[in-house]
Amino acid sequence: TVAAAQPSPSPTASAREILPTPASATRPLPATPTPASRAEAPKRGGWLVGYSSSIGRTLDPNQETSIFPMQFLTSSFQRMVMVDPERLPKERVIIGQISDRWEVDATAQKWTFYLRGGDRFIDGAPLTSGDVKATLERMRDAPGGIISPYKQMASAISNVETQGASTVIISTNRPAVWMLAFLAQPTASIVPAHIVSNDQKALEKKPIGSGPFKFGVREEDVKIEFVRNDNYRDKNLPYLDGHRWLVIREAATQFAALRTGRVNFSGFGTRGLSKSEADLLVQRMPGVSIERYAGTAVQFMWLNTRSGPFKDIRVRQAVSRAVNQQEIIDIAHEGAGFKGDFTGSAGLTWALPEATLKNIPAYRGPADADIAEAKRLMAQAGYAEGFRAEGLLIDLAGYEFRLAVLSKSLAKIGITVTTKVSRYPVEWVPALREGRFTLTEGPALGGTPYDPDALLTLWITGALDNYSGLSDVQVDDLYKKQGLTVDPVERKKVVDQLQMRLWELAPAIPTYNAMYYHATLPEVKGWTHPGMVNDTLWYEKVWIAQ
């Protein structure tokens, strides 16, 4: 969670707040080459060229959490606040972006932000408090049929008041200690009220922001480009002419594009690089920079609790006893990952204590007694002979290995997994939201702000990304209770209770937390180690040595 919020230290100073650095981001990672000195004078011109496994479902940032569109959308918009790229990866510090200071009352239910002024959208319209108000209400209300991934968190916002063009007062109906972490996310990018008020879906194909880059060209399944924004507030930035993203879905082709210099910047998230690819680049490409970083999104094996065999809690509990997190990490990810629970890796702020996790079969590794109990539960549920279940397979590199490991584990208790390939995210996400699956393995998209209000919203009755379709009164009540608890120690106790209930209900089984790898070729300068996956998708000061 964000450190105890305080008013900005003086009327003129930029307010800063310290975010917790998840343990997976601070654990010792393999050595990486020291990046080029920042003492070199930046040069204007040139292109940052990366690959992406997908352009994504929409180019509207308020409707997206997937890393694939966010890796190129984020630099086209601005937010109220941001994680300071200059202090990464050692510290995750929130600083102002379009706001230069803020104040909060003792209840964490009234937040006042003061905009710095001078920001304009790419069409020349000034960015004002009215745009902030429209964005936050849009995320809360999801008007016009749009999707709001953070609707559950935004529902805490009871009122957004503007005072002139540069002051925004946000009132909430419950303590919002997570407010800064929420506003720092790319999904909370400020959009132009004069555009979305006429058509809420106007940004889906043509994003209009106020960042250093503006939308240029999109060729479906080929590429997407963003070029320098001449209306950007800092006329000396950005240095790049633009950034271009080639749609490459196959892992081998992505890696070949890096090795041949077709791209100079790898993609993020699940692709990314594998550990062996990163090691090979270091060996064979002098000067390449490899960054290793963590993510907050937990990977799960999702079980459809709405219908079929997984509607029976006994079957889900049997599955929970058969899964082995360490096996998935070792076999599918070359040991690059972390075990954990519903809020991420052990040792993170909100995770269950290590001593508790060691009692959970998936975390410590199932023993013979766990498998025997799983078989007993299967028989009790009427599946002594087992059954066949279709596994929805995401069509990206790495997922086939994870599903294969999980299938082998489930076979031990009589469940035979067949596979059906699903295109990510355009097919997979709607299939899960609509309950058109039996089981699958994939990411939780709703948990980017590292706070229980985001991490655990996935399990609330009726929540958009409650893929398993879980509906449990106790879970709903505990979720509400933790959101009303300001004291962090007491809140942690409630969160622990909630997570233990989730392990009991087993609507999904946490499989692992990733260690990600990212590469920049030697000509790319000014890039900051990301720390966490969404922290620095900001290319304002990146430049190319030509």
Side-chain angles (χ1 to χ4, degrees), residues 36 77 86 88 97 121 150 158 181 200-201 224-225 235-236 248 253 264 297 309 342 368 375 417 426 485 502 512 532:
F77 291 85
E86 301 295 328
L88 289 170
Q97 190 167 47
F121 292 103
Y150 293 157
S158 55
Q200 288 291 341
K201 297 189 176 183
I224 188 167
E225 293 182 355
K235 300 305 179 185
N236 295 316
I248 306 175
T253 310
N264 53 27
F342 288 84
D368 291 344
K375 290 178 178 178
V417 179
V426 293
T485 307
L502 289 173
Y512 88 117
M532 299 296 290

Side-chain angles (χ1 to χ4, degrees), residues 431-469:
L432 266 67
R433 284 175 174 166
E434 296 163 16
R436 294 184 284 106
F437 77 104
T438 303
L439 69 83
T440 187
E441 203 281 343
L445 299 182
T448 306
Y450 194 69
D451 185 272
D453 265 61
L455 294 163
L456 298 173
T457 188
L458 305 167
W459 318 106
I460 304 309
T461 300
L464 177 67
D465 290 324
N466 182 346
Y467 296 151
S468 292

Side-chain angles (χ1 to χ4, degrees), residues 304-319 371-389 410-416 438:
N304 190 345
T305 70
R306 304 169 184 86
S307 61
F310 297 120
K311 187 175 182 179
D312 193 315
I313 188 174
R314 294 167 295 186
V315 177
R316 301 197 305 270
Q317 288 175 341
V319 169
I371 299 300
E373 174 62 11
K375 290 178 178 178
R376 188 191 70 79
L377 287 166
M378 289 281 288
Q380 192 180 76
Y383 297 103
E385 303 302 317
F387 59 86
R388 299 176 72 85
L410 297 190
K412 295 178 181 178
I413 61 172
I415 301 175
T416 301
T438 303

